[in-house]
Amino acid sequence: MAAQIQASSSPSPHPPKSIKSISRSPALTSIPPAYIFPSSPPHPAADQSAPVGQIPTIDFSPLLSSSPDRRSGTVADLRAACRDWGFFVVTNHGVPDGLIAAMIEAGRKFFEMAEEEKEEYRGGEKGVLEPIRCGTSFNSSVEKVFCWKDFLKAFVHPVFHSPSKPPGFSQVLEEYSKRTREVARELLRGISESIGLEPDHIAKKLDLEQGMFQLLAANFYPPCPQPELAMGMAPHSDHCLLTLLTQNGIDGLQVQHHGNWVDVTNLSPNSFLVNVGDQLEILSNGKYKSVLHRAMVNREATRISIAMAHGPSLDSEVAPSPELLGEEEGTTQLPAYKGMKYRDYLLLQQSKQLDGKSGLDVVRA
Ligand code: OGA
Ligand code: NI
C-alpha cells in the first residue's frame, strides 16, 4: 500500500509511484514522514514593512498594434513588471478560453489514468533529457523529502513530443503549445525592447525562430491531510527565459517579493501568469531577475497547473548581451554571468533536487 511508505534520511530506495495514489488511500489521516518538509525560517531579507502590493497586469493586445505609442506603453509596463516583480499577469492574449480549459482538462485526464498506463513515460534512459517524462515530486530518485505533486513533462518544440494517451491529449497539447509559443515570442519582443535592445534581438541571438525550446510541465497536486507540513513544489526559479502558467481555478502558488511570500490569488482562467526565468536574468546581465516561487497544497481540492517554459534553442550559448556591457551612464557594466549552453544548464538544474536559484550560482562570474 502506498500509504505505508517509510521515512528515510537517505534518498528513498523505493520512491513512491504517485502522490495521487497515496492521497487516495482511504485510511490516510496524516502524511507519510517522507513528505514532511522542513519548515523554512523567515527569509533573512524579508522586509516586513514593504507593502505587499499586487502582481502587475499587462494588457497584451497593444503589442500587436501598429501604433508605436500604444506599443511603447506596454513595453514600459513590461519593463516595470520584469524589474519590480519578475511576475505579471497577461490579459487579452488571444488564446481562446476554451483551449485553455481543454488543456487543463487533458492534463487532469492524463493524471487520472491508472499508474500502469503511465509506466512507459517513467524513467527513460535519457533521464531529464527524455522528451516525455512523468513522475512524482521533482526528482524522486535523488530527493530526501518528497513534494506533494505528480508531474508530466514533454518537449513540445522544436520537435513536438506528446504522450499518445489519453485520447485527444496530443491534439490539444499541440494547439496549446503553438498558441502559447506565439504569445511568448511576442512578449519576448516587447521585453527585448524594454531592456534597450532591438525587438528581435533576443529571438535572433537565441535562435527562437527555428529552435525555441518549449516544455510542457503539467502539475497535479491532490488534496493533502496536513497541508501545513507538506510542500507542493519547493522554492525554485525557472530555468527558461519565460514561463506561462495557468491553473484550474485552485490557488496555491506563492511568489517571493521583497523577501516575503505573496499568494497568487484570483488568477482569472483566461489570463496567463508569466515569470522571468534564469536565462533572461543571464541575458539581461541581471537587469531582470528570475524570482523564487513555490506551490502550497490544500486539504480539500486537487490543484492542476499547466506551465509552459520557453527557452533558447538547446544549442544556444547564453551569456550577458554585449550591448548591455561596457560604459553606461558613467559606470562600467561588467558581465555578471559566464556563458553556458542552455542544454547544459537545463541538465544541471533538472538533475538535482529543486533548490532555490542554485542553478545560477554555477554561472555567476
Ligand atoms: C513550475 C511551477 C507552480 C505551480 O512548474 O515551474 O513553478 O503553481 N509551478 O504549479
Ligand atoms: Ni516554476
Side-chain angles (χ1 to χ4, degrees), residues 47-332:
D47 180 355
Q48 302 294 342
S49 65
V52 175
Q54 235 186 349
I55 294 179
T57 296
I58 305 277
D59 178 2
F60 181 84
S61 54
L63 289 177
L64 304 176
S65 156
S66 53
S67 146
D69 279 357
R70 287 198 69 208
R71 190 178 159 83
S72 67
T74 302
V75 169
D77 292 346
L78 280 171
R79 182 183 303 119
C82 290
R83 193 190 53 206
D84 301 342
W85 278 86
F87 267 85
F88 49 92
V89 174
V90 171
T91 59
N92 299 323
H93 45 65
V95 180
D97 301 357
L99 179 59
I100 300 177
M103 187 65 242
I104 293 173
E105 195 46 33
R108 179 193 304 280
K109 288 195 180 126
F110 178 87
F111 290 113
E112 288 294 350
M113 290 194 306
E115 295 316 308
E116 305 80 69
E117 296 277 338
K118 300 176 212 162
E119 207 51 47
E120 62 185 290
Y121 306 123
R122 250 188 275 272
E125 59 189 29
K126 292 189 195 147
V128 299
L129 291 180
E130 198 61 61
I132 306 173
R133 186 162 66 95
C134 74
T136 192
S137 191
F138 179 71
N139 236 333
S140 57
S141 60
V142 298
E143 289 163 320
K144 296 192 169 104
V145 181
F146 302 123
C147 288
W148 199 267
K149 177 184 92 159
D150 293 334
F151 68 84
L152 165 66
K153 293 187 181 179
F155 297 0
V156 292
H157 196 264
V159 181
F160 179 71
H161 297 274
S162 170
S164 54
K165 50 193 166 180
F169 184 95
S170 77
Q171 287 83 348
V172 173
L173 177 59
E174 191 160 19
E175 182 64 13
Y176 188 76
S177 304
K178 176 168 167 281
R179 298 299 298 266
T180 48
R181 196 159 65 236
E182 286 164 3
V183 174
R185 275 294 306 273
E186 202 53 48
L187 287 171
L188 284 165
R189 293 185 85 237
I191 288 174
S192 191
E193 235 181 304
S194 79
I195 40 178
L197 302 170
E198 288 296 312
D200 287 320
H201 182 95
I202 295 180
K204 282 190 188 139
K205 184 144 190 154
L206 302 180
D207 188 25
L208 300 187
E209 189 68 55
Q210 301 299 324
M212 178 196 267
F213 177 74
Q214 189 188 27
L215 168 79
L216 159 80
N219 302 302
F220 180 88
Y221 306 95
C224 173
Q226 293 175 295
E228 62 289 347
L229 300 181
M231 184 66 79
M233 193 168 188
H236 69 283
S237 60
D238 293 350
H239 50 74
C240 58
L241 290 162
L242 219 53
T243 304
L244 268 61
L245 179 134
T246 184
Q247 63 183 21
N248 66 336
I250 307 293
D251 291 335
L253 185 62
Q254 293 184 332
V255 170
Q256 200 160 86
H257 186 59
H258 295 314
N260 298 307
W261 288 111
V262 176
D263 291 317
V264 177
T265 54
N266 301 320
L267 184 65
S268 139
N270 49 18
S271 29
F272 293 121
L273 182 71
V274 177
N275 62 294
V276 169
D278 295 344
Q279 303 309 305
L280 191 51
E281 175 166 337
I282 297 169
L283 182 98
S284 71
N285 202 34
K287 265 194 171 159
Y288 296 160
K289 297 218 163 25
S290 62
V291 173
L292 286 180
H293 51 286
R294 65 183 185 184
M296 312 307 274
V297 289
N298 73 79
R299 221 174 239 102
E300 292 85 28
T302 294
R303 174 163 185 262
I304 294 171
S305 69
I306 303 287
M308 300 299 285
H310 303 84
S313 75
L314 287 174
D315 287 316
S316 291
E317 169 102 2
V318 186
S321 204
E323 290 79 0
L324 303 175
L325 304 176
E327 289 296 315
E328 193 184 286
E329 292 162 8
T331 58
T332 307

